[in-house]
Amino acid sequence: IEGMISTEEMELEAPFGEFVSFMGERHWNPFMNVTCITHRQDAIFGAITSQFPPSESTKLRQMVFEPVLYRHLKHNTRLPVTDVAFHESGGSWHLIVIQLKKSNPSQAMQALNTAVGFDPTIGKIFIAVDENVDPRDAEAVNWALCYCMQPHRDLLIVQGRTGYLDPSVSPEGEKDIFPMPSGNSALLIDATRKWAYPPISLPKREFMENARKLWEAEGLPPLKLKSPWFGVDLGKWTSELEEEADLAIRGDYFKT
């Protein structure tokens, strides 16, 4: 596409749908008077629709951002990160969940601080979860927020961020200017376990696997398993309790 762009005139660009799920603001922008278009025969014009998520733009952004931030956390900082999820509900921009297999209590907050410093425009809510929490499952993340985090201890607010199409920053037409408390901020949440927990209150894997086989044998619809989907020992479970549980399974609970 060839044309002329004026250095003296601009036009109001009409509001378009945006990935943040709201219509964008109207802005003055340069325009081009097209003088020539050349193309292959049977050319395909590629474009995407940006609108209320999930949309084409949020899916493409998710596919690009996740491996980029994962590589930065995993290889550049050598943190024990096992997965990174950009949630489409946040436009694949504002809600980021980082999964870790910690070997040190400080690593969750180190990963959160590294992620928030990666780009001053990307990310508004950063959440760190353990390896048994599916970072792409909102219910699993909410579960971790409820039982692995204390607000007075595990939250950190970072200011000095750059707003990007977020209508909560300032009213339409006003500049999201500084100093504080104007402008953008980010919330870092360490929703990982800080010490040993009791086991997850689900049957052991062997029982759940058997139940799945029975389900499939009956020809019922395929199961979509969520994590966690079977009981796991999280460190706070004695050999005595394990023995008593085995007695109960065998029907010998009266011996306890």
Side-chain angles (χ1 to χ4, degrees):
I1 301 175
E2 302 176 25
M4 302 294 292
I5 300 176
S6 173
T7 59
E8 298 177 347
E9 295 178 305
M10 303 181 79
E11 286 185 355
L12 276 173
E13 184 179 42
F16 296 114
E18 293 291 353
F19 69 89
V20 292
S21 70
F22 302 97
M23 299 299 291
E25 293 186 23
R26 174 173 283 182
H27 293 286
W28 288 99
N29 275 314
F31 61 92
M32 181 171 71
N33 286 316
V34 177
T35 58
C36 180
I37 299 177
T38 56
H39 58 82
R40 298 176 299 176
Q41 291 192 6
D42 299 322
I44 297 174
F45 175 69
I48 63 172
T49 299
S50 192
Q51 58 186 22
F52 194 99
S55 67
E56 291 176 305
S57 69
T58 57
K59 177 54 66 180
L60 290 171
R61 190 177 300 106
Q62 181 189 59
M63 293 169 63
V64 172
F65 282 1
E66 286 182 352
V68 169
L69 183 55
Y70 173 82
R71 179 178 178 81
H72 176 64
L73 293 172
K74 183 75 173 180
H75 299 290
N76 293 349
T77 65
R78 301 192 180 279
L79 289 166
V81 173
T82 51
D83 203 357
V84 172
F86 281 70
H87 283 243
E88 285 195 84
S89 58
S92 299
W93 194 286
H94 294 104
L95 176 57
I96 301 167
V97 183
I98 302 168
Q99 185 191 64
L100 304 99
K101 188 173 183 178
K102 294 190 304 180
S103 59
N104 185 288
S106 66
Q107 289 170 332
M109 194 54 74
Q110 289 172 358
L112 292 169
N113 276 300
T114 302
V116 77
F118 183 64
D119 187 302
T121 67
I122 298 176
K124 181 178 182 180
I125 302 173
F126 296 81
I127 305 172
V129 297
D130 288 303
E131 70 274 13
N132 68 323
V133 177
D134 184 352
R136 291 176 173 78
D137 183 349
E139 289 187 356
V141 175
N142 289 338
W143 172 64
L145 288 172
C146 288
Y147 301 115
C148 300
M149 178 272 297
Q150 283 294 325
H152 73 282
R153 183 192 64 208
D154 300 319
L155 303 186
L156 179 64
I157 295 175
V158 177
Q159 293 185 281
R161 307 283 289 167
T162 302
Y164 189 69
L165 296 176
D166 183 351
S168 70
V169 175
S170 59
E172 184 175 349
E174 294 187 16
K175 297 286 186 180
D176 50 329
I177 57 174
F178 294 85
M180 309 300 185
S182 298
N184 256 29
S185 58
L187 178 63
L188 313 186
I189 307 175
D190 178 0
T192 61
R193 296 185 302 276
K194 313 304 185 296
W195 42 74
Y197 270 40
I200 292 172
S201 55
L202 286 168
K204 284 184 177 181
R205 182 165 191 162
E206 59 192 273
F207 300 111
M208 297 299 268
E209 289 281 11
N210 187 53
R212 183 165 66 165
K213 290 178 181 177
L214 293 172
W215 179 278
E216 293 171 351
E218 291 295 328
L220 296 170
L223 292 171
K224 186 177 181 180
L225 302 178
K226 301 172 74 69
S227 180
W229 66 280
F230 53 85
V232 178
D233 183 357
L234 299 178
K236 192 178 180 183
W237 194 243
T238 65
S239 57
E240 180 183 5
L241 290 172
E242 181 69 20
E243 181 182 359
E244 291 180 1
D246 288 337
L247 287 170
I249 290 170
R250 295 197 302 265
D252 295 333
Y253 57 88
F254 59 89
K255 293 182 179 179
T256 301

